[in-house]
Amino acid sequence: MAIHTTPTQVFTDQRPGTSGLRKKVGVFMQPHYLENFVQALLDVLNASDASGQALHGQTLVLGGDGRFYNRTAVQIILKLAAANGVARVLLGQGGILSTPAVSAVIRRRQAFGGIVLSASHNPGGPDGDFGIKYNASNGGPANETLTEAVFARTMVLSELRSSNAPDIDIDRLCVQQLEQMQVEVIDPVADYLAVMRELFDFDLLRGMFKRGFTLRVDAMNAVGGPYAKAILEGELGAPKGSVVNAVPLEDFGGLHPDPNPVNAEDLIVHMSAPDAPDFGAAMDGDADRNMVLGRNFVVTPSDSLALMTAHATLIPGYKDGLLGVARSMPTSAAVDRVAKALGLPCFETPTGWKFFGNLLDAGRVTLCGEESYGTGSSHIREKDGLWAILFWLSLQGATGESVQDLVETHWRVYGRNYYTRHDYEGIAVDVANALMTDLRAALPSLPGRAFGQRAVSLTDDFAYTDPVDGSISKNQGVRLLFDDGARVIFRLSGTGTEGATLRLYLESYEDDPVRQDQPVQQKLAELAAVAEQVAGIRKRTGMDGPSVAT
Ligand code: G16
């Protein structure tokens, strides 16, 4: 066994996006591609930060969503870590840890940070995607200062430092030695389960299942399966078989583990059947996203955040109330109305969970959420799919109301924010960039202009000044705000791996109860037409309509 250095060449495309570095598996499998990124990360972490903290001699957490290349990547990273002064790695058994579990383990074990191997909701398998991201000691995604420093390091990297020790056994719960580094293979579920026990009334939930409450949780052959099985079926006594597609597969069994009504069609079918269970839910590849359903009823993520905020004090972990709430800019303003009624601070951040970190650390917010099927709280620093499922189960247990009743009552009280996101996927990058550039140029001419019954009241390219550290993030999405509360938002996705994806977010507000039950796409068709008129999406992309509308 020996530590050795190897010369390497720069890859110029290793700038992390919305959530870490995501590429096709084939890109990651190029010689030195993963190694370069990890070496750059370790170099940056080993250069002590402002507080004098450096990784050397400390503990890292490591795990991933089990997708293709996960196991190989784990071995590569362990050998690099061993050669770069890491003292201990806490590795999820089999190389498995969900994103929320990594966050929980970092926080509970006071690790220096953690590496998550996941491309989240992107498809897996040899032709699918792979990804890697770093989470800091607060358990949350690295901020942009750190990710930019890693990118800068990748651009000048000339050498890798690794060990040529044999692979270690990643499947057995035990402690092993790799050079001077200890590798402790840990139970992926234990720490996460301990956090959930502190937040929710497990006896209440057990009682529900004893009385016959039924649910179907689709783990989409991804990493959420073992967690959902252990907690819902194991701890809480949900009927066996309540969690389906529960074994993480390297290619997710061909499923696209992006829980929305399009990709989780099978769940929608089950929840619409005459014998549908009381409650349905799905999680994504790394189990941080969630989709929540009642019988024949899908909950919009933005509404989910609003409902959670309104009822949070019913949950033991939040019984003393919330400090504040935050949502990403494109997420609907439904939660704003609840926050206003409850007198809670409400923050609007750019897309990306990393923007919630400072607010959570500073004790300014307790709950956060996004339109992209993500909700979470201060219990960790990631969004959390199974936590959201337990939250919604608890709401039903505490109120005795169904999902549909809870949501419809909410609309009667606060009004309904009709909401949809249209994705135009696989657009040529230059076409997408030109569309956004032209749109930005057109912004000053739009205020005051009428489109049907409504007029544009304000346009901008969303910029965010972090209220905690003062950092500024510009160009976060083009917004058209209308005088009746409607919004049209355009931005390019930062998580795709092929071409560009244009996201168009449409929202209108309806406070009249007799008009709160209309089909969403129908209700928002007028706004979609405005977007088309302003941006010329069809003409520019040659697409007849969005590839996904959720
Ligand atoms: C990531 C981020 C989220 C973001 C989502 C979509 O989620 O953590 O904050 O909303 O991507 O981002 P975009 O619109 O740029 O594609 P995940 O679940 O993919 O890690």
Side-chain angles (χ1 to χ4, degrees), residues 18 22 120-121 289 353 370 372 383 491 493-495 503:
T18 307
R22 290 185 193 170
S120 188
H121 57 288
R289 297 185 178 203
W353 203 262
E370 295 185 286
S372 55
K383 53 187 182 275
R491 63 178 279 282
S493 160
T495 56
R503 300 209 196 282

Side-chain angles (χ1 to χ4, degrees), residues 121-141:
H121 57 288
N122 296 12
D127 300 323
D129 293 347
F130 190 77
I132 177 167
K133 68 172 182 163
Y134 177 71
N135 281 25
S137 58
N138 69 348

Side-chain angles (χ1 to χ4, degrees), residues 261-262 416 418-422 504 506 518-529 546 548-550:
V262 177
R416 177 173 183 189
Y418 279 93
Y419 187 84
T420 187
R421 187 178 97 187
H422 290 181
L504 170 64
L506 305 169
Q518 285 164 267
V520 175
Q521 298 303 331
Q522 191 181 310
K523 182 83 178 175
L524 295 170
E526 232 178 77
L527 278 179
V548 181
T550 55

Side-chain angles (χ1 to χ4, degrees), residues 11 35 62 183 195-196 255 259 287 293 300 350 368 474 492 504:
F11 292 94
E35 286 87 338
L62 175 61
V183 182
V195 177
M196 294 303 111
L255 293 182
L293 301 91
T300 306
C368 315
K474 292 185 177 164
L492 298 182
L504 170 64

Side-chain angles (χ1 to χ4, degrees), residues 404-470:
Q404 181 165 355
D405 288 346
L406 282 164
V407 175
E408 290 182 348
T409 305
H410 187 92
W411 293 340
R412 305 291 173 262
V413 175
Y414 294 97
R416 177 173 183 189
N417 287 69
Y418 279 93
Y419 187 84
T420 187
R421 187 178 97 187
H422 290 181
D423 291 342
Y424 293 80
E425 297 170 312
I427 308 176
V429 173
D430 54 344
V431 170
N433 287 337
L435 185 150
M436 292 303 289
T437 305
D438 293 349
L439 205 48
R440 287 186 171 106
L443 287 185
S445 68
L446 292 174
R449 188 163 153 195
F451 291 92
Q453 297 299 305
R454 50 172 69 98
V456 178
S457 54
L458 194 137
T459 60
D460 68 1
D461 192 350
F462 183 66
Y464 177 67
T465 303
D466 186 303
V468 180
D469 66 14

